[in-house]
Each structure stands twice: as structure tokens, then as C-alpha cells.
Amino acid sequence: MKKTASNWSALLALAVSAATLPVMAAEELPKRLPADPYGVCCHTTREEQWDAPALYPLMKKAGVNFVRFDVDQLYLETKPGFFQPEYKKLMLSPLDQGLDLLAIIGPVAPAWASKHWEKLDAYAKFVRQCAEEFRGKIKYWEVYNEANNGAEWNPNAKQLAALLKVTYTEMKKVDPEVKILYNGLAGVPLDFFEESLDAGAEKYFDIMNIHPYCSQPESLKPMIAPLQEFMKERNLNQPIWITETGWTAGKTPFFYREVLPAAVKRLGMNPAECTIALFGEPKAGYDGCANFTAENFPGFQGVRHINSEELENLSIDEYPLLIASDHERVLGTSIPALLKYVKMGGTLILPSGLPFYFDIKVDGKGGHQLIQVNDKYLKDFHVAWESWWTKKGVVPYQETYQRTASGFEKDFNWPAKDHNKVGRFLTAANLAQGDEFIPMVVGGDDKYQGALAAIYRFNSDLKGNIIASTSTNIFGVTRKVQAMMLARTYINAFACGVERVFWYLFHDNLAQENYFESHFGMVDRQYKAKPAYDAYKTLTRMLPGGSTVPDIEEIGDLRLANWTRPDGKKVWAVWYGFSTADSAKKMNIVFDGEVTEAVDLLGNKIAVPEKEITVTGAVQYFAGPEKVTLEEISE
């Protein structure tokens, strides 16, 4: 790893603080974070190459140590054996700003080298030359990205094992100091991981790597624990990194702002008089709609988060609208209650992707398994869909147009250029006699037209309605909630034993207002800091590299974490775990020792609580005390 000035400062501070600590046996010394545990993802060799010079100083100011980026062989090796100098310059440009590098070797390759697993000799030459060209500059190499997502450009588990072996073997011949990261897996899929190990990957990576996107950062513990146990069973002792995780924080999707209110009005209801029930069980492992807030539903009366018990007997008069999932999935055990709700006359909203396409099986400990069930539940709900893969040659892979359906032109103007193409359409195939299918947004090509959003109005054994959309309306969180999630993600991940964490994404790199991928950044398109940026900067100051691994005490749903910084000062952090936007609880707080610094999530100074503290989903930091105690307030 390149030793930058900041690296040396952190190491020096660690050495100085170690000299002032009480003398302990080596086995008693508290485990510490590496000096450089903070990373971000940034497409510095792709669409963000023009933004990068302005972004690097902002990264350094926030306390970022690593930049993760893509290495596209197509643009690096423009002809066999020749590495394009300008592309090499792009790859190495973060080094000039004192940032270290994590390079992803991916599928974008010239025809003579693609697909890598089918042309291992050519791939071996490529990675060997990478090791030669970038020796002493790029120490960490990641082999492909989210191979388990099933995309045609990705290897399967056995093919990934072959790529890992070649990468590890060839690069270490040139540079024994190089470190090879396992593919950054989407989620924590032990079955894919095990299959690759059985195919020979076990000896050919230095660092395990996951992308555990989740609704609540407190879910990281039950997600990572099975992986750690599995690695222990296989006698694997590689450190674990998270090279992607984050929350998108853009404008509320157009579907919620315009299409949903129009649908509610068409059904004879006034949105301003409707409270939306939002179902989720985040502590059990099903996030559902836990991060939705009233702010995301302009024009509606409000929202209320409900659990499984409340769902069983949900009042349609109080809650005429219900959202039980943000995108394509459903808690299978909730299906009877959802069906009961629609039978009684309630309106169920299926806002994004294919309805009920995945079933979530929870383990009761905060973890879950995602199982593809296709149309298993749809006949009962009188809903149907067709897609480019179920009707090849009929349904377009990508529709050439999208527009507002006839009859809704006065309600909204669907911004087609700002929505992704999906090739998935709702149909009336499962309607019963008396039911009605009302398209709201349509799309297709010169041979096919289908509904991308529609109302199912029932008058059969079902008496309610379903409002559905296949467009990708993945719901972001507010910018405030994104900042809350960032701080809690890092603290929870480090406490679980994760060595380094990379936030996705540093910069809003796309310009599509209604596309969720456009809003993951902690700075916006104009390089202006979002609250997440200030939360990151505060976190890296309060929990710098070289600190002891955070220890988290669970007090019901509340969390109290502590660690010791390299300067020897103890720091405490308190927050509400598995929180919804309105989660808050008053507690008695007792400090044993002087509080020398008290700041909120964004680094603003706060008053030191004399007795009571209101704990929310936003982390509060207190530096100095030897001990902090939280207690229930007695009545």
C-alpha cells in the first residue's frame, strides 16, 4: 500500500497512544481497526473521470482512505500487450491526492479476450501485465463485481473460481505483496460462495468481500455472522471487507408523486384523506417499507408503520392504502393477511418491479433468504405479467417508448426519458368476471404495447384494488435518513469484525431524476455536500483509523457503542437501532467522567445531557467519559 502523509500520521498517532496505554500482555490488547478503514466507490475511469479532479479533495477532507473503481480491459488494453497511457493515468489519478486504490477487474473486455473464463490464457497475460504495470501503486485487486447476480456478463461460481486462481497465481508471481479480493458478492449468498470454494477458489483470495445492502444497518450483524461461522468451518481466516453498501437518497420517484395520487383519485378516494399503512419487520429480517416517511408521500394524509400482528387485523377504514414491499419481494408469511385485506376492500400498492417475484424467508434473528417464486401468488390476487423472457420475440427486451395511457393525460405526463426500460408488462390474464384492468402507463415498440403501470379494480371474490407498476421505482430514503444510515453502517460493520467498508457512492454520477442509481452519492451532481458527507466527515474524526474495534451494547432497540481512539480518548455513540423515521425514546443517561466533546450526527456541537437524552436513529457522539449508562425512565 502506498504510504501517504495521512497514513503515516495515523500510524504515528497510534504508536504514540500505544506508548501511553497501560502495559498489557499481547493477547489482552484490544483489537484495532486498520489505519485506513474508510473507502468510497467512484467511477473514476468511467462516467466520473471528468468530475474526479474536483472530487478527490472532497474525499480527503471527509477522511476517505480508499477509492474503488473499475478496470475495463477494453479501454486499458486497446491492442494485445499495449496499455493505453491516458487510461493508466485515470486509474492512478487518486494517488496524487494521497488516496489508495482498490481496482475491480471486470467483464468489459475486447472481443479477443471476452469472456475471460473462456479465454484463461489471454486473461492470465492481462492480469500479469497489470501486476507489472501497477506494481507498488495498486496493491488491492477485486475479481469481478456481484457475479452471483446472474447477469450474462458475469461468471458462475465455478468460472469465478478459475478466474480467482489465475488472478492470484499470475499477479503474485510478479508482486508477492499484491492482495486479491474475492468477488464482491451481492448480499451474503453462502451457497454461491460454497460452490466456488468447492470448485477450487479456497486458496486463491486474500480478502473476503460482500455487498450487504440492507434496510437497516443493525441487520449487518445477523447477515455477516453466518458467513463468519461458515468461514470458520472451512478453516478460512481471510479478513472480510464490504466494498459496496449504501442508500439512495433522491427525489421521491415520479410514481409516488404523480401516478399513485392519480390512481387513488380514479378509485374515488381523496389522497389528502388517506393514511398509508407501511408494512415491515426489520428486526425479523424483512425491511419492507421501514425507511418510508410521510415526506415521501406528498398530498397524502400521512403514513403509519405496521408489523405482522397489526397487518392481520388492519382496518380498511383507517388505512385504505397499504404498501407491503418496496420492490419485487414479499414476506411469504404475510400473503394470507394481504389477500384478506384486498378481499375486504383494501387497496394494495405494488410499486416497483414484478409483483411478488421473490419470497423472503426470515430466520427470526434478523437474517433472511430470498427465494424466486415467479408468479406463485399472482392468481390469488388476479394479477399477471409478461416479459421479454417469458414471451421471447413478442415482448421487447427494451421498449422503445413509454407514455401516459389514454384517460390519464390530464393527471400526469410520464417522463419517459427519465425512466429505465424494463421489458416487463402487467396484463389482465388472471382477472375474474367483474374485475377491471385500467392501464396508466404504457410502453412497447412498433409490434407490441403493454402496461407498465395499471389499476386492478376488483368486483369478484376480491372487493378491493391493486395499484401496480413494473418500472423500477426503488424508493430512496430522505437525505437525512441516508446520513443516519451511513454512520450506523460503519459502526455496526466494524463492530462485526469487518476490516474496511466502502460507501456506494461518493458522487451522484447520473442525471436521471427518477432513477434510483442517480442518487447514492454523499455529494450531489454539483459537488455540494449532502448530510451524508457531513456524517462521514464526523464519523472519521470521532472513529478514526487505528481506533479500537467498536463494542456495541444492545439495550432493547437502543444501541450504545464505545471505542478508544488512537489519541487514547474514549468515545461513545448512542442511537435507536432498526429505527423508522419517527423512532425516538427518552432515556436517563449517566456519564462517569467528563464529557470533553459532544456532537450530533453531522458534527454540530450539542449540549451535554444532564439527565435525560432523546435517542433517535441519528447517532450522537460523546468523547471523554470512562463509562456511559443508559436507563429506562421510571414512571
Side-chain angles (χ1 to χ4, degrees):
M1 180 186 68
K2 181 177 180 290
K3 294 293 190 295
T4 65
S6 60
N7 295 144
W8 284 118
S9 296
L11 290 170
L12 179 60
L14 178 57
V16 170
S17 67
T20 63
L21 292 173
V23 177
M24 293 186 283
E27 64 272 12
E28 296 175 342
L29 288 172
K31 186 176 180 183
R32 292 185 177 268
L33 300 176
D36 49 3
Y38 290 99
V40 293
C41 303
C42 192
H43 299 296
T44 57
T45 56
R46 292 181 177 175
E47 63 268 21
E48 291 182 278
Q49 59 183 276
W50 295 277
D51 297 295
L55 298 177
Y56 296 145
L58 293 173
M59 292 180 188
K60 288 297 293 183
K61 188 176 180 180
V64 173
N65 305 123
F66 273 85
V67 178
R68 177 177 179 260
F69 65 95
D70 303 279
V71 175
D72 296 324
Q73 185 182 1
L74 178 64
Y75 305 113
L76 173 59
E77 192 176 13
T78 51
K79 57 184 179 181
F82 175 76
F83 277 17
Q84 173 59 243
E86 288 303 311
Y87 194 86
K88 288 166 56 178
K89 185 177 179 181
L90 283 177
M91 289 174 59
L92 298 176
S93 58
L95 293 176
D96 296 333
Q97 299 292 326
L99 296 160
D100 281 307
L101 306 176
L102 169 58
I104 316 163
I105 301 170
V108 183
W112 48 266
S114 172
K115 299 174 179 179
H116 285 138
W117 55 89
E118 294 177 353
K119 299 168 183 175
L120 289 176
D121 288 343
Y123 178 73
K125 291 178 182 178
F126 172 65
V127 294
R128 185 165 56 247
Q129 188 168 347
C130 282
E132 292 167 350
E133 293 272 359
F134 302 108
R135 182 170 185 168
K137 298 181 177 70
I138 302 178
K139 181 177 180 179
Y140 298 96
W141 296 85
E142 183 175 346
V143 181
Y144 273 67
N145 179 67
E146 299 187 354
N148 61 309
N149 68 11
E152 61 182 351
W153 56 82
N154 268 331
N156 60 33
K158 293 181 180 179
Q159 291 162 344
L160 175 64
L163 291 178
L164 284 166
K165 181 178 181 180
V166 170
T167 309
Y168 186 97
T169 304
E170 294 300 325
M171 282 195 156
K172 285 187 180 280
K173 284 179 184 176
V174 175
D175 183 3
E177 297 300 312
V178 79
K179 299 294 183 185
I180 306 303
L181 275 72
Y182 188 89
N183 168 264
L185 293 173
V188 193
L190 296 185
D191 52 350
F192 185 96
F193 184 37
E194 183 174 23
E195 186 178 352
S196 73
L197 296 180
D198 291 342
E202 207 160 57
K203 300 177 182 178
Y204 300 109
F205 63 97
D206 299 295
I207 297 163
M208 185 52 194
N209 182 13
I210 53 176
H211 297 170
Y213 287 94
C214 53
S215 173
Q216 297 286 325
E218 290 70 39
S219 296
L220 289 172
K221 182 178 179 180
M223 291 177 76
I224 294 171
L227 170 63
Q228 293 169 320
E229 185 61 30
F230 175 73
M231 290 179 68
K232 184 177 179 181
E233 291 173 0
R234 296 289 296 241
N235 294 315
L236 300 174
N237 58 6
Q238 292 94 330
I240 297 173
W241 289 17
I242 293 175
T243 62
E244 268 192 41
T245 191
W247 278 259
T248 182
K251 193 173 182 179
T252 298
F254 186 88
F255 171 83
Y256 294 96
R257 300 194 323 265
E258 303 288 346
V259 179
L260 181 58
V264 171
K265 291 175 184 176
R266 179 61 62 92
L267 292 170
M269 294 179 279
N270 180 0
E273 298 176 353
C274 295
T275 297
I276 304 173
L278 304 172
F279 172 64
E281 294 274 20
K283 284 188 286 186
Y286 176 60
D287 43 35
C289 309
N291 294 329
F292 289 23
T293 71
E295 184 178 334
N296 300 123
F297 295 91
F300 287 87
Q301 187 176 65
V303 302
R304 182 167 177 271
H305 293 89
I306 62 170
N307 57 29
S308 293
E309 184 178 348
E310 293 168 304
L311 179 63
E312 287 289 336
N313 299 293
L314 192 64
S315 168
I316 293 168
D317 292 333
E318 288 185 69
Y319 306 104
L321 306 173
L322 168 64
I323 305 179
S325 173
D326 61 341
H327 181 68
E328 290 200 333
R329 55 206 175 130
V330 66
L331 185 64
T333 55
S334 73
I335 287 292
L338 296 177
L339 190 57
K340 175 185 174 183
Y341 176 81
V342 179
K343 282 185 175 181
M344 291 173 60
T347 298
L348 178 63
I349 301 163
L350 305 173
S352 179
L354 294 176
F356 303 145
Y357 193 62
F358 294 97
D359 192 344
I360 286 185
K361 303 290 187 185
V362 299
D363 61 11
K365 301 176 182 178
H368 67 260
Q369 183 181 7
L370 202 62
I371 301 171
Q372 184 174 319
V373 295
N374 301 323
D375 60 353
K376 176 180 178 180
Y377 300 120
L378 296 192
K379 287 186 178 179
D380 289 340
F381 288 88
H382 300 190
V383 173
W385 56 266
E386 58 191 20
S387 68
W388 62 267
W389 67 87
T390 61
K391 286 193 172 182
K392 288 185 178 180
V394 177
V395 177
Y397 171 67
Q398 288 191 334
E399 59 273 18
T400 57
Y401 70 87
Q402 297 177 351
R403 62 171 178 253
T404 305
S406 176
F408 289 93
E409 296 91 345
K410 293 182 179 180
D411 297 296
F412 61 87
N413 183 22
W414 181 256
K417 290 183 179 180
D418 204 25
H419 281 86
N420 59 322
K421 311 294 186 182
V422 293
R424 300 157 171 82
F425 301 89
L426 299 163
T427 78
N430 286 333
L431 292 189
Q433 187 173 356
D435 295 342
E436 185 180 4
F437 179 72
I438 309 171
M440 297 188 72
V441 179
V442 295
D445 57 16
D446 57 353
K447 296 179 181 179
Y448 175 93
Q449 178 169 295
L452 293 161
I455 299 169
Y456 291 85
R457 176 183 276 167
F458 304 123
N459 187 25
S460 53
D461 60 315
L462 306 180
K463 301 301 180 185
N465 315 280
I466 287 178
I467 302 168
S469 172
T470 62
S471 184
T472 307
N473 299 301
I474 292 181
F475 213 117
V477 297
T478 64
R479 290 186 171 193
K480 177 182 177 181
V481 172
Q482 184 192 41
M484 290 164 46
M485 299 307 188
L486 184 148
R488 286 159 48 192
T489 293
Y490 276 86
I491 297 172
N492 276 287
F494 290 153
C496 290
V498 174
E499 190 173 78
R500 288 186 174 92
V501 179
F502 290 70
W503 186 257
Y504 187 90
L505 196 60
F506 185 75
H507 172 235
D508 285 346
N509 65 315
L510 300 172
Q512 291 177 277
E513 182 178 285
N514 291 293
Y515 186 37
F516 75 104
E517 280 280 2
S518 295
H519 306 287
F520 273 95
M522 64 176 78
V523 299
D524 66 16
R525 289 280 301 162
Q526 288 72 44
Y527 318 137
K528 292 181 180 177
K530 295 182 185 179
Y533 179 87
D534 293 321
Y536 198 102
K537 185 167 62 174
T538 304
L539 176 71
T540 59
R541 183 172 65 83
M542 300 303 289
L543 177 55
S547 298
T548 59
V549 170
D551 178 61
I552 299 178
E553 179 184 357
E554 299 180 8
I555 308 166
D557 288 340
L558 303 189
R559 299 293 186 269
L560 180 64
N562 77 88
W563 56 85
T564 301
R565 294 190 308 211
D567 62 7
K569 185 157 289 188
K570 202 160 189 177
V571 179
W572 299 79
V574 60
W575 70 91
Y576 203 121
F578 291 109
S579 62
T580 57
D582 53 359
S583 296
K585 189 171 185 177
K586 285 190 175 182
M587 298 284 286
N588 285 327
I589 188 166
V590 178
F591 297 104
D592 183 0
E594 181 186 2
V595 177
T596 58
E597 184 178 12
V599 295
D600 66 12
L601 174 72
L602 306 182
N604 302 306
K605 291 183 179 180
I606 56 176
V608 178
E610 293 185 5
K611 183 178 179 182
E612 290 184 1
I613 183 172
T614 299
V615 183
T616 69
V619 174
Q620 299 174 68
Y621 301 95
F622 302 97
E626 192 58 36
K627 186 177 181 182
V628 174
T629 304
L630 286 176
E631 298 174 341
E632 294 277 355
I633 295 177
S634 57
E635 297 295 333

